[in-house]
Amino acid sequence: MKIFITRKIPKQGLDLLLKQGYKIEINKYNRALTKNEIINGLKNKDGLLCLLTDNIDKDIIESESKLKMIANYAVGYDNIDIEAATEKRIPVSNTPDVLTDTTAEMAWALLLSVSRRIVEGDQYTRSGKFGGWDPMLMLGQDISNKTLGILGTGRIGASFALKSKGFKMNILYFDEKINGKLEKELNAKKVGKSELIKKSDFISIHLPLNKSTFHFIGLKELKNMKNNAILINTSRGAIINEEALAKALKENWIFGAGLDVYENEPVLNSKLLVLNNIIIQPHSASATFKTRSNMAIIAAKNMIEGLNGKIPTNCVNKQIFK
Ligand code: DGY
């Protein structure tokens, strides 16, 4: 069996594939591949191990008739045309669970950093501007006892919520389903989108990107947030309308934002870049040594299961096996 891997991933995953006797071909450039490069790399391959930066569309999926399995090295899989893969009865897998706490920790890192202006304070101090303690210097927002709004309480959103325990916060959440664990452990309250937007001091996004969540946060929502509100996004960039966010931050409709993800990655909105009340990270919420290795192991295990005709443990289109 031959596998095409669109970017170098941690060795632990590659070793598992090699141990199976598979021939692997890895993108030899240190950058994301173009559509044509992926199509060329995929020629004669049985498996595709790809990244969230690869737009695996219908053309790519249909370009290689031998293709039997697509393992995405990410929990989100909005980069893959699942319908096209399903039509061709090709299983697609993702890497859930292993990055849950790691991603939730990044959401907290952003929340704390924006609230207490950590990046701004660091730059200010390094630049020699610090002239001694000042009652009015770098005033930020308290976190304890405030209202935390969570959009999406799947694995990552729930883990993020549970980590609030020490801050004794009032938890509101928006989800289709009731989250019994959060209600029991945190006295969390399930509310509608507009109530969460209006009442929360902190809003953290943990929704998947799809047609119904595209630009879920836009001008209207930002206008309705408290002016001390802080918006955090570690999910997918296009859930926020960045033009609207830039306007809201520039005009101080809200206190600040912390983003790990962007609408047109890796291109950044230049209006956001010039603002002080935003902290931006390079889509690194799952970037710890342990988590990235575990993601490689999970992606490889799914690939092996799929190529052996089994239902991959983390298959996202299981309906093809019915
Ligand atoms: C994912 O796996 O979807 C994350 O965005 C990676 O950081």
Side-chain angles (χ1 to χ4, degrees):
M1 296 271 191
K2 292 184 188 147
I3 298 165
F4 183 57
I5 304 179
T6 60
R7 192 91 182 244
K8 193 166 177 234
I9 59 165
K11 188 178 173 302
Q12 290 86 341
L14 301 177
D15 286 349
L16 281 179
L17 297 172
L18 291 170
K19 226 168 118 187
Q20 294 290 315
Y22 296 156
K23 287 216 162 70
I24 60 176
E25 184 182 319
I26 307 173
N27 164 9
K28 52 182 184 294
Y29 312 107
N30 189 23
R31 59 162 172 84
L33 295 175
T34 63
K35 179 168 172 169
N36 279 338
E37 287 171 333
I38 298 177
I39 290 177
N40 282 333
L42 200 54
K43 277 197 184 119
N44 255 321
K45 304 291 187 307
D46 304 274
L48 170 65
L49 199 155
C50 52
L51 269 57
L52 60 92
T53 43
D54 305 314
N55 179 20
I56 307 299
D57 62 11
K58 200 172 161 74
D59 298 339
I60 294 180
I61 291 169
E62 291 181 350
S63 71
E64 175 48 60
S65 57
K66 281 177 79 181
L67 185 62
K68 297 174 192 63
M69 173 68 202
I70 301 174
N72 207 31
Y73 181 75
V75 66
Y77 49 89
D78 48 285
N79 58 308
I80 300 176
D81 186 337
I82 300 295
E83 223 177 280
T86 304
E87 234 167 68
K88 286 203 77 191
R89 305 186 67 78
I90 298 172
V92 177
S93 65
N94 67 344
T95 60
D97 301 320
V98 288
L99 49 69
T100 298
D101 283 332
T102 312
T103 306
E105 284 167 14
M106 174 62 94
W108 273 102
L110 286 169
L111 189 155
L112 289 159
S113 304
V114 178
S115 306
R116 302 306 303 272
R117 302 170 64 180
I118 298 295
V119 173
E120 219 185 322
D122 178 88
Q123 285 163 353
Y124 179 87
T125 313
R126 277 173 204 274
S127 70
K129 288 185 188 150
F130 178 50
W133 194 86
D134 175 345
M136 302 309 284
L137 184 62
M138 288 289 157
L139 305 186
Q141 302 292 342
D142 285 315
I143 297 163
S144 299
N145 304 306
K146 293 283 197 71
T147 297
L148 178 62
I150 299 151
L151 293 171
T153 50
R155 284 177 287 254
I156 299 172
S159 162
F160 173 78
L162 290 165
K163 294 186 194 318
S164 73
K165 276 185 183 170
F167 293 110
K168 300 188 172 62
M169 301 176 90
N170 170 34
I171 311 291
L172 301 178
Y173 72 98
F174 168 85
D175 205 300
E176 279 169 12
K177 288 183 260 168
I178 290 180
N179 193 312
K181 186 171 163 84
L182 297 191
E183 299 209 350
K184 190 166 167 244
E185 289 195 29
L186 298 171
N187 204 17
K189 193 173 158 215
K190 181 174 178 303
V191 292
K193 178 183 175 185
S194 61
E195 184 176 346
L196 183 143
I197 298 276
K198 280 187 192 140
K199 292 190 174 162
S200 300
D201 299 298
F202 303 95
I203 297 173
S204 191
I205 302 176
H206 301 283
L207 295 163
L209 175 64
N210 53 43
K211 280 184 196 134
S212 67
T213 59
F214 177 78
H215 283 190
F216 197 74
I217 301 291
L219 278 179
K220 185 177 120 211
E221 289 76 19
L222 289 155
K223 256 261 129 79
N224 284 332
M225 287 180 195
K226 292 183 172 182
N227 61 11
N228 64 295
I230 289 174
L231 179 65
I232 304 298
N233 191 9
T234 51
S235 174
R236 284 292 181 266
I239 293 175
I240 299 179
N241 176 343
E242 281 179 1
E243 281 294 308
L245 179 64
K247 184 171 170 63
L249 289 171
K250 188 166 177 218
E251 297 177 9
N252 298 310
W253 300 357
I254 63 173
F255 184 78
L259 305 184
D260 184 48
V261 287
Y262 308 91
E263 218 177 319
N264 299 303
E265 275 177 43
V267 180
L268 300 177
N269 184 317
S270 56
K271 292 183 190 156
L272 291 175
L273 292 183
V274 293
L275 300 169
N276 275 337
N277 50 355
I278 182 166
I279 293 181
I280 55 175
Q281 288 294 298
H283 200 151
S284 53
S286 65
T288 64
F289 294 106
K290 185 166 162 247
T291 291
R292 288 287 165 86
S293 302
N294 284 339
M295 286 167 68
I297 291 169
I298 302 268
K301 283 187 175 165
N302 278 293
M303 176 62 79
I304 295 165
E305 288 167 336
L307 292 183
N308 282 327
K310 297 191 184 133
I311 305 177
T313 304
N314 307 111
C315 185
V316 299
N317 56 346
K318 285 203 171 108
Q319 64 271 31
I320 64 171
F321 292 98
K322 282 184 187 147

